[in-house]
Amino acid sequence: MANPSPAKSMGDPGITPLSPTHTQNDTDQVQSQPSFVVVVAIDFGTTSSGYAYAFTKEPECIHTMRRWEGGDPGVSNQKTPTTILLTPDRKFHSFGYAARDFYHDLDPSESKHWLYLEKFKMKLHTTANLSIDTDLHAANGKRVKALDIFAYALAFFKGELSDQTGGDFDNNDVRWVITVPAIWKMPAKQFMREAAYKSGLVSRENPEQLIIALEPEAASIYCRKLRLHQMVDLGTQTTQNGFSPTENVGSGMTQAKEHVRRNRQSRTFLVENVIGELWSELEEGDRYVVVDCGGGTVDLTVHQIRLPEGHLKELYKASGGPYGSIGIDYEFEKLLCKIFGQDFIDQFKIKRPAAWVDLMIAFESRKRAAAPDRTNPLNINLPFSFIDYYKKFRGHSVEHALRKSNVDFVKWSSQGMLRMSPDAMNSLFKPTIDHIIQHLTELFDKPEVSDIKFLFLVGGFAESPLLQQAVQNMLQGRSRIIIPHDVGLTILKVRRSPLTYGVGVLNRFVEGKHPPEKLLVKDGTRWCTDVFDTFIAADQSVALGEMVKRSYTPAKPSQQVIVIHIYCSEKDSVGFISEHGVRKCGTLRLDVSGTESTAPRREIQTLMQFGDTEIRAMAVDVSTGRTVKASIDFLSH
């Protein structure tokens, strides 16, 4: 007795491929894109966020967001912290520095009722079965819907843009771009789209108004346009900003950053239309790596130049992991737990959430002062309420705890500060930097990653002299390390498919080739069920907007409804939809009742459009022109 097949048990009426099987690169069906007046890119970061926009009439003139009020000393406030504050009755109150400062000024008896969230973007990467019901925890331990928080944040940026431009254009004139880490899985990308719909940024009726772009690809395009005064070249130990080459990397970096900070006062910068000097050194076939080091994740992408258009081919699928700079914050928290006890730190975070935020802000500014050649200690202010609450909790002083702990490289200063030796601070960086270096080492060992001309280090964490030195030591001159300033936002044209996609079909049963348990006899015809007909394989290159087309015919001419199930898998070679790791990710349901076709075999065309980070599918009944569309659902319900 043959096992019932998944195709049968799913009520799949069954389709079978028509010959010829498929045509690739068929773009006739792609509708012409609506025209937008302005493109706005939101850089939604783990630790900080910002936006930039350009009018389509002058795409080379990129307006960055205005300087934010309430910035930290020594930190460029071209971006604002990704922090959000809700009132005790869960209404949106503020975002960024405004949220942080308001929360800081609340009385502790009040602040515990307010909902303050920070670094929440990482939840999208770390949640295994992300859904639209996934929760986040606010600083006071209360749970809130992640979708609401992301939607509030996007609505805030929409409002900001409107304020900055004086509402010069209608929202329908705006194409929105949201950048996400390349290592994010599909559900996280779709979650971002759902949040955009909920926020009113775009509507479900016009999905093409929003592009979900990959961060390292946006960075890669920007790196191509760099002029020499816009970056630091670690290979020559100089900063390309008119400073002396005799200075060491640390002080050169400081001066370069100061120079950039002065230049950042202006809100608009021009991306050179000519190809950057650096780029002119690259030839057909040359390879370079973009290492995008953010707050939450590190993405590695390898690109190869294809001339004459200067197109990029992605050679190596984006990889990386949650090794961003917040890893250093976790290490600092572990150190505090070691000194003061995990039980105290857990209580303090819940009972004095605003003071905990203050302590982490104090740590953040000292973190930026860490450098390989630093000799003097770094002082971190302990909030008064930390000292006070510790005394109540333990019955002895913070100073006593430091003396008793075995952590000899952290001392107490009479001004109420933790004094950390440079080695102590550097040790907090070590686990995160080691992860990045290990990943880079594995990458450079791959055959397709030989002869790398440049390594672009981008993202906020790229400014860390400790990370820069570690990357230099690892590469030992094998490629030049370039650190661009202010990575802009543009979208790249070629990428690889992260998954294998296909549909479930019936094929004629072939004795000896097909497994006997897949045999299905219908009206005297012997079929093999559950066959996975591949549209595109994982890792295959696809161009933006590329359409892949297949033609099918109903297995039974009298069928009234044709159901096409779309499946995906991380494996690049799939034979049957019943294999382990294959899952259904979309369904196209085409009603063909009441329409007779004169063709001997009815043709149903299935089209999948790739290239953007999302995938759209449609089916067309060729004889009647009837069409159904589906976007592929990656959020687990």
Side-chain angles (χ1 to χ4, degrees):
M1 169 73 191
N3 296 338
S5 70
K8 243 171 84 185
S9 59
M10 283 185 218
D12 190 339
I15 52 169
T16 181
L18 263 181
S19 299
T21 6
H22 65 277
T23 48
Q24 188 117 11
N25 277 346
D26 191 324
T27 47
D28 309 343
Q29 303 282 340
V30 184
Q31 291 88 359
S32 61
Q33 294 290 352
S35 55
F36 296 102
V37 175
V38 66
V39 177
V40 183
I42 298 176
D43 179 5
F44 196 129
T46 302
T47 46
S48 57
S49 296
Y51 65 82
Y53 63 95
F55 291 94
T56 43
K57 292 198 300 287
E58 32 178 21
E60 299 298 322
C61 185
I62 296 175
H63 306 263
T64 58
M65 94 196 207
R66 55 166 170 230
R67 292 171 63 78
W68 295 88
E69 298 306 314
D72 293 331
V75 178
S76 151
N77 56 351
Q78 205 70 9
K79 287 184 167 188
T80 194
T82 308
T83 52
I84 200 162
L85 183 63
L86 307 188
T87 62
D89 60 353
R90 296 173 175 258
K91 298 278 187 293
F92 175 80
H93 179 272
S94 46
F95 186 91
Y97 286 117
R100 212 177 71 177
D101 295 347
F102 187 91
Y103 185 61
H104 163 87
D105 293 338
L106 284 169
D107 185 83
S109 61
E110 278 186 274
S111 66
K112 59 176 185 255
H113 301 296
W114 287 66
L115 291 97
Y116 179 82
L117 293 102
E118 60 180 355
K119 303 184 178 118
F120 48 86
K121 178 179 156 190
M122 276 304 283
K123 182 83 177 184
L124 296 197
H125 179 65
T126 54
T127 304
N129 46 357
L130 184 69
S131 80
I132 47 179
D133 297 320
T134 295
D135 281 337
L136 297 171
H137 290 273
N140 61 2
K142 292 199 171 128
R143 294 158 80 97
V144 281
K145 284 264 176 288
L147 193 68
D148 292 346
I149 296 302
F150 281 85
Y152 280 142
L154 293 174
F156 165 79
F157 280 112
K158 184 182 175 189
E160 273 298 306
L161 178 80
S162 179
D163 290 352
Q164 184 172 339
T165 57
D168 288 345
F169 36 76
D170 184 60
N171 193 46
N172 294 331
D173 297 335
V174 183
R175 164 160 267 173
W176 293 92
V177 178
I178 300 174
T179 59
V180 299
I183 56 170
W184 269 16
K185 298 275 187 283
M186 282 298 190
K189 293 170 188 169
Q190 187 182 332
F191 184 94
M192 213 52 161
R193 182 171 280 279
E194 291 296 327
Y197 291 148
K198 182 155 192 171
S199 70
L201 204 64
V202 295
S203 68
R204 282 181 200 282
E205 288 68 53
N206 296 316
E208 67 287 337
Q209 202 182 342
L210 171 67
I211 291 176
I212 305 277
L214 301 186
E215 286 159 9
E217 299 195 342
S220 183
I221 268 282
Y222 180 75
C223 292
R224 297 170 56 183
K225 297 192 171 227
L226 281 173
R227 310 292 290 176
L228 290 179
H229 63 269
Q230 293 170 300
M231 64 203 169
V232 177
D233 185 339
L234 288 190
T236 57
Q237 298 272 312
T238 63
T239 73
Q240 307 286 351
N241 275 311
F243 292 117
S244 138
T246 56
E247 287 162 353
N248 66 30
V249 175
S251 68
M253 275 305 292
T254 313
Q255 284 192 309
K257 287 198 302 209
E258 188 44 50
H259 174 84
V260 172
R261 200 168 291 127
R262 285 200 303 273
N263 286 354
R264 275 179 177 153
Q265 304 298 332
S266 68
R267 258 210 359 242
T268 304
F269 62 93
L270 283 166
V271 176
E272 303 281 349
N273 204 1
V274 294
I275 281 181
E277 289 105 333
L278 199 63
W279 198 250
S280 60
E281 291 182 37
L282 290 168
E283 295 161 5
E284 169 84 53
D286 277 352
R287 297 150 181 211
Y288 65 92
V289 178
V290 177
V291 183
D292 186 353
C293 310
T297 50
V298 169
D299 283 323
L300 311 178
T301 319
V302 183
H303 284 137
Q304 185 172 37
I305 314 295
R306 292 211 308 227
L307 297 174
E309 313 84 20
H311 277 195
L312 300 183
K313 181 180 181 192
E314 189 173 301
L315 283 185
Y316 174 73
K317 196 154 117 181
S319 70
Y323 317 134
S325 58
I326 56 172
I328 302 151
D329 302 349
Y330 295 144
E331 291 299 318
F332 179 59
E333 193 176 320
K334 271 165 43 184
L335 178 68
L336 293 176
C337 290
K338 198 171 166 186
I339 298 169
F340 303 108
Q342 174 97 43
D343 54 345
F344 167 71
I345 295 294
D346 289 347
Q347 272 299 302
F348 180 70
K349 282 163 81 171
I350 290 168
K351 291 283 193 284
R352 300 281 187 275
W356 173 254
V357 169
D358 282 351
L359 175 55
M360 292 314 284
I361 290 166
F363 173 67
E364 178 67 32
S365 70
R366 302 321 294 141
K367 187 168 94 176
R368 290 168 184 269
D373 48 1
R374 191 183 174 97
T375 51
N376 53 327
L378 295 122
N379 291 331
I380 295 161
N381 263 321
L382 275 186
F384 171 73
S385 69
F386 185 99
I387 299 165
D388 182 52
Y389 192 71
Y390 185 77
K391 181 107 173 107
K392 286 184 186 141
F393 189 88
R394 283 271 190 261
H396 58 243
S397 70
V398 160
E399 192 177 354
H400 175 80
L402 274 160
R403 273 204 312 273
K404 267 187 61 189
S405 77
N406 300 326
V407 182
D408 53 357
F409 44 67
V410 180
K411 302 275 186 269
W412 177 246
S413 88
S414 53
Q415 294 90 29
M417 295 183 186
L418 291 179
R419 282 175 78 80
M420 290 184 74
S421 71
D423 286 348
M425 180 58 99
N426 295 0
S427 71
L428 299 182
F429 278 74
K430 192 174 183 323
T432 301
I433 288 179
D434 284 354
H435 267 306
I436 296 170
I437 295 302
Q438 184 193 345
H439 219 86
L440 270 171
T441 306
E442 287 168 10
L443 177 70
F444 272 77
D445 285 345
K446 293 183 184 298
E448 68 266 38
V449 188
S450 56
D451 306 327
I452 294 290
K453 210 159 198 178
F454 296 109
L455 181 142
F456 290 104
L457 209 50
V458 303
F461 192 25
E463 291 188 357
S464 159
L466 289 168
L467 176 62
Q468 291 170 10
Q469 187 189 55
V471 173
Q472 266 185 297
N473 292 346
M474 179 236 128
L475 283 176
Q476 297 181 321
R478 279 185 288 174
S479 69
R480 273 168 68 192
I481 303 167
I482 306 290
I483 302 155
H485 301 310
D486 289 328
V487 168
L489 294 155
T490 345
I491 310 303
L492 199 63
K493 290 288 185 274
V494 174
R495 82 160 45 100
R496 291 182 168 207
S497 173
L499 299 170
T500 294
Y501 295 95
V503 298
V505 300
L506 298 173
N507 270 352
R508 293 295 175 105
F509 191 85
V510 178
E511 226 37 87
K513 177 188 167 193
H514 291 139
E517 68 273 13
K518 298 286 184 196
L519 173 64
L520 175 73
V521 182
K522 253 189 181 181
D523 302 336
T525 306
R526 290 157 62 82
W527 297 102
C528 177
T529 66
D530 303 343
V531 175
F532 185 101
D533 189 35
T534 303
F535 264 72
I536 192 155
D539 253 10
Q540 196 176 324
S541 287
V542 276
L544 191 66
E546 184 169 324
M547 189 76 86
V548 182
K549 184 162 57 172
R550 299 277 188 282
S551 290
Y552 301 101
T553 190
K556 216 169 162 188
S558 58
Q559 266 169 233
Q560 302 294 293
V561 175
I562 291 162
V563 179
I564 300 169
H565 292 304
I566 300 163
Y567 297 89
C568 61
S569 167
E570 291 190 3
K571 293 192 300 187
D572 52 13
S573 171
V574 184
F576 295 97
I577 61 172
S578 52
E579 285 174 26
H580 179 70
V582 177
R583 60 187 185 85
K584 188 158 80 169
C585 58
T587 300
L588 294 162
R589 190 177 295 274
L590 198 56
D591 182 352
V592 292
S593 59
T595 54
E596 290 310 313
S597 171
T598 51
R601 299 177 80 189
R602 184 166 212 146
E603 185 183 354
I604 306 298
Q605 268 183 9
T606 304
L607 305 127
M608 262 193 230
Q609 189 172 13
F610 295 87
D612 195 351
T613 42
E614 297 138 317
I615 289 156
R616 301 202 179 92
M618 62 191 280
V620 183
D621 179 355
V622 174
S623 60
T624 64
R626 194 175 283 181
T627 302
V628 287
K629 292 183 181 176
S631 57
I632 295 183
D633 185 8
F634 296 100
L635 287 173
S636 54
H637 292 289

